Amino acid sequence: MSTQVDAEIIQLEKELNQTEVEHKRNLVELNKTFEIVYNQFQLLDRRIYNVGSTAVRIGDSLSGVDNDKRRAEEALDLINNFLELNGDAVDGTGVFEDPTKLFQTVSVIKKLNSVTAEMNLDRTQKGKKAVERVSEKVEKDLIDRFRRAALKQDYPTMKKCATALFDFNGGDSCVRTYIMQLSIFFDMQTISKDQQLCSSIEQRLSDVEDDEMSGNNIDIPELIEFFHDIEKTCLLEQQIIFQVFPNPSIVLSQLVQRIFEQKISSLLEKLFRDLALSSLMSLRTITVAFNLTSQLVEKLASYDLANLNLELLMNSIFLSYKEQYLEREMKSLTEVFARKLLPFKTALRLEKEELARSSALLALSSTGGGGG
């Protein structure tokens, strides 16, 4: 029994050794296979990278060719457009006569302006003048379209025209057109309201005694409403301007500057030039106007107004009144003191007159007594 078991153990050990040898041989072969596959994968990866790099280079080359082709086509179109304006084209593109191609015309004319600026040949002068003529017409057509859109409150069309004009020549004419059509400046009803404002203020002040105006807390509702309307206008126009213009801060700053230099300045001139105000009333009215303007400046300070200096702007329109303020104040004090002293002067004059009459009567009585 023991001999049989030993024989089986020996047999199993032999089989185990053979299996281990076979396993080691398989591992060696698998390792060699892995190295072959890994090397082939690296080779494939390098080939893919090379193919990708080549594809990128080909793509860049094709892109460059496409760009060159597009620039060549644009140059050819530009030449044909100039020949059309110069009267040398066989078949015109019709872009300059078609109102539906206005924005395309803007782009073409802008490029032609750059090209013709350096043209000095005699045979190109006709085309050069034609470019100038079309430039003026294009600007006018854009302004007309912008104005019509503004009347309809068609902000997308306004924005399209404004962007085209800003790209074309800076857009100054577009900004002027926008500001000029605002009711705050040129609406007859608004102008009439401002004129009535001055009359109303004059009436209010004429009904008030100077002594009642001597305090600092003066209420002039007409002026308060005037500045409140300006504030509402600025808020509304700010929203529109940021919808329409590509550089809204510059447009808004020009609008605010125009309001100060025209609207507020004109009111001040009418108040202190046309109205017959006493010195004290004039001083108090200037103070109210200055305080209300300061409050407006504080509110507008939160707006994006480019480089507009509101404090400097406000000081510029009040400069002449500040220079006259001391003189007006001295005159006012003289008037106030004269009015306060008037009762005493009157009483003193009456007392002197009564004393003179009494002295005269006394003298007359003494003279009459001596004669008897």
Side-chain angles (χ1 to χ4, degrees):
M1 184 67 177
S2 175
T3 303
Q4 184 179 357
V5 170
D6 290 340
E8 289 181 358
I9 290 172
I10 293 172
Q11 182 62 33
L12 290 173
E13 287 178 349
K14 288 181 180 179
E15 292 178 357
L16 178 61
N17 290 334
Q18 291 177 354
T19 302
E20 287 180 353
V21 171
E22 184 68 22
H23 178 67
K24 289 180 180 179
R25 185 168 60 251
N26 290 337
L27 286 177
V28 171
E29 291 178 356
L30 287 173
N31 187 48
K32 290 180 179 179
T33 303
F34 175 77
E35 289 182 357
I36 293 172
V37 171
Y38 179 75
N39 290 335
Q40 290 177 346
F41 176 79
Q42 285 188 320
L43 178 62
L44 178 62
D45 184 63
R46 285 195 296 272
R47 289 179 177 176
I48 292 174
Y49 176 78
N50 291 334
V51 171
S53 300
T54 302
V56 170
R57 288 195 298 272
I58 292 173
D60 291 340
S61 299
L62 290 174
S63 177
V65 170
D66 184 62
N67 290 335
D68 291 341
K69 179 184 177 182
R70 186 170 60 254
R71 284 195 293 268
E73 290 174 347
E74 290 176 354
L76 181 60
D77 290 340
L78 202 61
I79 292 172
N80 290 331
N81 288 323
F82 179 76
L83 292 176
E84 181 178 350
L85 292 175
N86 202 46
D88 298 328
V90 177
D91 295 320
T93 61
V95 67
F96 302 111
E97 289 79 22
D98 190 348
T100 64
K101 297 181 179 179
L102 178 59
F103 295 100
Q104 181 182 347
T105 304
V106 172
S107 176
V108 172
I109 287 297
K110 183 182 179 182
K111 294 174 183 177
L112 286 176
N113 274 324
S114 301
V115 172
T116 58
E118 301 180 5
M119 286 186 178
N120 297 315
L121 297 176
D122 292 339
R123 61 182 182 178
T124 62
Q125 293 307 304
K126 179 181 178 181
K128 192 172 182 179
K129 292 179 180 179
V131 170
E132 295 175 358
R133 185 175 64 254
V134 174
S135 295
E136 295 175 357
K137 182 178 182 300
V138 163
E139 182 177 15
K140 181 180 180 299
D141 290 344
L142 283 172
I143 289 295
D144 289 343
R145 187 172 295 190
F146 178 89
R147 186 182 293 109
R148 291 194 301 270
L151 292 175
K152 299 176 182 178
Q153 297 183 345
D154 181 1
Y155 301 134
T157 300
M158 290 174 66
K159 180 177 182 179
K160 193 174 182 180
C161 294
T163 302
L165 282 165
F166 270 76
D167 184 58
F168 183 56
N169 58 10
D172 291 340
S173 58
C174 183
V175 176
R176 287 195 302 270
T177 299
Y178 177 75
I179 293 178
M180 286 178 62
Q181 55 87 35
L182 293 178
S183 60
I184 189 174
F185 297 118
F186 299 100
D187 180 64
M188 292 306 299
Q189 183 177 356
T190 303
I191 295 174
S192 176
K193 182 180 179 181
D194 289 349
Q195 292 173 346
Q196 293 174 3
L197 170 67
C198 292
S199 301
S200 178
I201 291 176
E202 182 179 27
Q203 182 63 42
R204 176 179 295 275
L205 297 182
S206 65
D207 294 338
V208 180
E209 293 293 335
D210 282 1
D211 285 344
E212 296 180 14
M213 294 284 289
S214 60
N216 289 325
N217 298 323
I218 305 168
D219 185 19
I220 306 181
E222 294 83 358
L223 274 181
I224 295 174
E225 181 183 0
F226 174 81
F227 281 92
H228 182 61
D229 288 344
I230 289 178
E231 181 186 349
K232 289 195 300 183
T233 297
C234 290
L235 179 61
L236 173 63
E237 297 305 327
Q238 180 199 33
Q239 297 171 353
I240 296 174
I241 286 171
F242 272 80
Q243 288 185 61
V244 170
F245 293 96
N247 55 346
S249 60
I250 295 178
V251 180
L252 188 58
S253 66
Q254 291 187 28
L255 171 59
V256 171
Q257 184 172 352
R258 182 72 173 272
I259 288 175
F260 272 75
E261 293 177 349
Q262 179 174 330
K263 187 83 171 173
I264 299 177
S265 181
S266 296
L267 176 69
L268 295 178
E269 289 180 6
K270 291 175 182 176
L271 281 176
F272 305 113
R273 180 193 63 199
D274 299 339
L275 303 190
L277 301 178
S278 69
S279 297
L280 183 56
M281 285 185 177
S282 177
L283 287 172
R284 297 308 180 187
T285 306
I286 289 176
T287 301
V288 172
F290 184 84
N291 290 338
L292 289 172
T293 306
S294 298
Q295 293 172 16
L296 178 63
V297 165
E298 291 177 1
K299 293 173 181 177
L300 293 178
S302 62
Y303 289 32
D304 185 3
L305 297 175
N307 297 321
L308 183 64
N309 189 325
L310 291 173
E311 293 288 344
L312 184 62
L313 185 60
M314 183 181 73
N315 289 333
S316 68
I317 65 174
F318 280 96
L319 180 61
S320 62
Y321 306 104
K322 286 183 176 181
E323 292 175 345
Q324 300 169 11
Y325 191 88
L326 183 58
E327 180 183 348
R328 289 173 182 264
E329 190 167 35
M330 292 294 292
K331 183 179 179 182
S332 173
L333 288 173
T334 302
E335 293 174 354
V336 170
F337 279 118
R339 187 169 60 254
K340 294 294 185 182
L341 292 174
L342 182 60
F344 299 99
K345 287 182 178 180
T346 302
L348 183 60
R349 178 176 55 78
L350 293 175
E351 184 179 347
K352 286 181 178 180
E353 291 176 354
E354 182 64 27
L355 182 61
R357 282 196 298 270
S358 298
S359 299
L361 290 173
L362 182 60
L364 182 61
S365 175
S366 299
T367 304

